[in-house]
Amino acid sequence: MNLNNIHNIYFVGIGGIGMSALARYFHANGKCVAGYDKAQTEITDDLVVLGIAVHFEDLIDNIPASFLNIEKTLVVYTPAIPKNHLELTYFHDHAYRVLKRSQILGLITAHTFCLAVAGTHGKTTTTSILGHLMNECHVPLTAFLGGISENYNSNLILNGTDVSVVEADEFDRSFLALSPDMACITSMDADHLDIYGDPSELRRSFEDFSRKLKPNGKLFVRNGLPLQGITYGIEDGSDYAIQNIKIENGTYVFDVKTPKTVLESLRFNLPGRHNLLNALVALAMAIEYGCPYQQLTKALVDYKGVKRRFTYHIKTDDLIFIDDYAHHPEEINAVHQAIREMYPNKKVLAIFQPHLYSRTRDFIDGFAKSLSQFDELILLDIYPARELPIEGVTSAWLLNKIKTKNKQLVDKKELLSTIHNSHAQIVLTIGAGDIGEQVKRIKKEFSIAG
């Protein structure tokens, strides 16, 4: 398919973080863009400001008339859309060209120099660091991000079309639509078992992805993963290795050993060893692409992060409020490590909203162990996303397995008053559902109280 011949692009699920980046991209390239989403959010509001028509009720009558032209319209959908969706069913039944988001990314990136970031954790942060580093080195790139970059206040960095930087999403094997020139794999922990069924199938899909590299392509792998490639790690003799880590006023200062030299006294402001690893592989990919060391060093210290990835909302002497997207036991462990490293003597209240019944069931013991590390815990009900309830899988079941003495299951309506009853100096919200809406309430309440 030649995208140059497409005039209209209609998105079913336009408010998704990856979908909205594509919508922005096509709008910037002069296409007519419109779409549906189930809820109005800041993301959809921003699209509307750009002049993109968005509606929130699943009705064929809501599709703008100009998009009902089969010859000129391409339909893009996210796998999160249910099978019985009226608009999507209409497009399928009337033989429109209908593609998944990953297939469109594959088409866009096929004729560019593509750098892809894969892994069960760290994709969004690594992609946004890599996009930022290369953009600051004036590489003519388009970076599609799975989160809102604090540096650009956007999920799209658009500075040319020669190079593309993308997240390679393992959910429903989407990343197999890509053919990158360079790729990295940050982690291969079991996840999405509702799709894969067994962790070995997930591992096999990463192996399949590694074979998607173009001829003479380069694969970067976290040291210890069962794949061959350029390795990276911390103090472990990897091809790219971080050494001599210090913390100065909440900033990491460290050296990086590359295959050719040692870069000294680099600075990076995101807390957590997992973020140091994300920065390292982004740096390695940018170096191998050919970006100059001096510009990369400056760009690294200027990197501000991604919204909902260890985001500070309140930072005073009396109270620190941090929000993070962590929704898997390993991600919760990483956030816990970051908090303990930065604030070793402060009490932490964690507020967690489990995401998906299937994920809660599949990793129930891992969640219980990771959440038991916090001084106090508030659990919210499971956010269902695309799923129907599974009998017996509840937040109460998870709560019962958690060893923290100070723990409780709380309704959202009671959340603020419950936080007020805590004496913790750090409040942490974690989860991938609609807990972001509670973040606004907490910030407002405790900014006033402080």
Side-chain angles (χ1 to χ4, degrees):
M1 180 190 297
N2 187 345
L3 291 173
N4 293 329
N5 299 334
I6 302 293
H7 186 260
N8 300 324
I9 304 186
Y10 188 84
F11 288 85
V12 184
I14 197 167
I17 196 74
M19 292 281 277
S20 60
L22 281 172
R24 286 172 176 273
Y25 170 80
F26 283 119
H27 176 77
N29 281 282
K31 307 291 186 187
C32 289
V33 178
Y36 155 88
D37 207 89
K38 66 179 179 180
Q40 183 179 354
T41 62
E42 285 181 26
I43 289 175
T44 60
D45 289 347
D46 289 344
L47 294 177
V48 170
V49 168
L50 289 175
I52 295 171
V54 182
H55 62 266
F56 305 99
E57 193 176 359
D58 177 21
L59 287 173
I60 286 101
D61 289 348
N62 284 338
I63 301 168
S66 60
F67 287 80
L68 296 174
N69 181 323
I70 293 178
E71 299 303 316
K72 291 185 175 179
T73 300
L74 170 66
V75 178
V76 184
Y77 73 100
T78 167
I81 293 292
K83 298 278 189 288
N84 60 354
H85 192 272
L86 295 176
E87 294 181 23
L88 190 55
T89 302
Y90 172 87
F91 288 124
H92 278 304
D93 290 349
H94 289 81
Y96 279 74
R97 286 168 290 190
V98 180
L99 296 178
K100 283 198 293 192
R101 181 181 72 90
S102 57
Q103 293 171 301
I104 287 290
L105 266 183
L107 283 173
I108 292 170
T109 59
H111 305 295
T112 68
F113 188 97
C114 177
L115 297 95
V117 176
T120 42
H121 324 297
K123 284 188 296 293
T124 297
T125 301
T126 304
T127 308
S128 72
I129 298 170
L130 180 57
H132 171 67
L133 292 179
M134 296 183 76
N135 188 61
E136 289 294 294
C137 292
H138 309 296
V139 174
L141 65 77
T142 303
F144 297 92
L145 312 179
I148 304 297
S149 161
E150 297 278 12
N151 287 81
Y152 304 92
N153 197 31
S154 177
N155 51 356
L156 182 72
I157 305 172
L158 194 52
N159 186 35
T161 54
D162 296 354
V163 175
S164 55
V165 175
V166 298
E167 282 189 36
D169 191 358
E170 76 281 356
F171 174 73
D172 81 344
R173 299 176 173 84
S174 288
F175 57 2
L176 299 183
L178 299 170
S179 303
D181 296 87
M182 287 187 185
C184 74
I185 297 177
T186 64
S187 47
M188 289 164 51
D189 294 308
D191 198 2
H192 305 301
L193 298 186
D194 54 323
I195 303 292
Y196 286 96
D198 186 82
S200 63
E201 283 299 309
L202 179 69
R203 283 195 298 275
R204 190 169 295 125
S205 76
F206 278 106
E207 291 164 6
D208 292 343
F209 171 70
S210 71
R211 289 190 282 271
K212 286 286 180 179
L213 279 169
K214 289 175 189 161
N216 302 316
K218 293 181 179 179
L219 180 67
F220 299 75
V221 293
R222 167 99 176 264
N223 199 353
L225 293 181
L227 289 169
Q228 294 298 309
I230 299 167
T231 56
Y232 70 98
I234 296 176
E235 301 278 12
D236 61 2
S238 296
D239 298 317
Y240 282 83
I242 284 179
Q243 302 171 337
N244 305 322
I245 302 169
K246 300 190 289 288
I247 297 175
E248 295 179 2
N249 298 323
T251 295
Y252 282 120
V253 183
F254 54 94
D255 301 336
V256 171
K257 177 188 77 70
T258 79
K260 294 179 180 175
T261 187
V262 175
L263 306 178
E264 295 184 341
S265 300
L266 299 183
R267 303 179 80 85
F268 186 64
N269 290 309
L270 261 61
R273 296 293 173 108
H274 61 300
N275 281 322
L276 267 185
L277 286 163
N278 295 337
L280 175 61
V281 71
L283 193 68
M285 292 174 82
I287 287 170
E288 294 285 337
Y289 177 80
C291 293
Y293 294 145
Q294 200 169 354
Q295 282 172 271
L296 287 173
T297 301
K298 183 180 183 306
L300 193 65
V301 77
D302 291 339
Y303 177 75
K304 295 177 185 172
V306 177
K307 288 184 179 171
R308 297 224 61 224
R309 304 304 195 279
F310 213 92
T311 301
Y312 285 95
H313 287 280
I314 298 173
K315 198 173 185 181
T316 66
D317 292 340
D318 301 322
L319 179 67
I320 292 165
F321 173 33
I322 298 165
D323 175 47
D324 195 276
Y325 187 69
H327 56 285
H328 182 283
E330 289 303 322
E331 294 167 352
I332 294 169
N333 286 336
V335 172
H336 176 263
Q337 182 274 324
I339 285 182
R340 293 297 185 211
E341 188 172 50
M342 291 295 162
Y343 306 105
N345 302 314
K346 291 185 184 289
K347 279 196 171 177
V348 183
L349 164 65
I351 302 158
F352 179 56
Q353 181 189 47
H355 183 260
L356 298 178
Y357 297 102
S358 60
R359 185 182 279 124
T360 306
R361 175 199 63 202
D362 294 339
F363 302 106
I364 187 76
D365 292 327
F367 278 122
K369 190 174 179 183
S370 62
L371 292 167
S372 295
Q373 298 173 97
F374 297 103
D375 302 299
E376 300 177 27
L377 181 74
I378 293 173
L379 265 190
L380 302 176
D381 283 327
I382 296 170
Y383 183 77
R386 55 187 178 269
E387 293 184 335
L388 295 171
I390 298 172
E391 189 176 349
V393 179
T394 62
S395 286
W397 177 41
L398 173 56
L399 188 77
N400 194 43
K401 285 179 167 281
I402 291 166
K403 292 191 164 52
T404 305
K405 285 195 174 68
N406 198 336
K407 60 179 182 177
Q408 52 188 314
L409 181 57
V410 172
D411 187 274
K412 287 175 186 170
K413 293 194 288 290
E414 309 298 324
L415 182 58
L416 295 181
S417 59
T418 309
I419 299 170
H420 272 295
N421 291 333
S422 168
H423 297 297
Q425 299 108 314
I426 297 176
V427 175
L428 167 70
T429 44
I430 35 181
D434 61 1
I435 192 168
E437 297 305 308
Q438 303 305 314
V439 169
K440 296 173 193 167
R441 292 178 62 217
I442 296 166
K443 182 177 182 178
K444 184 178 177 185
E445 174 82 7
F446 289 90
S447 294
I448 294 167

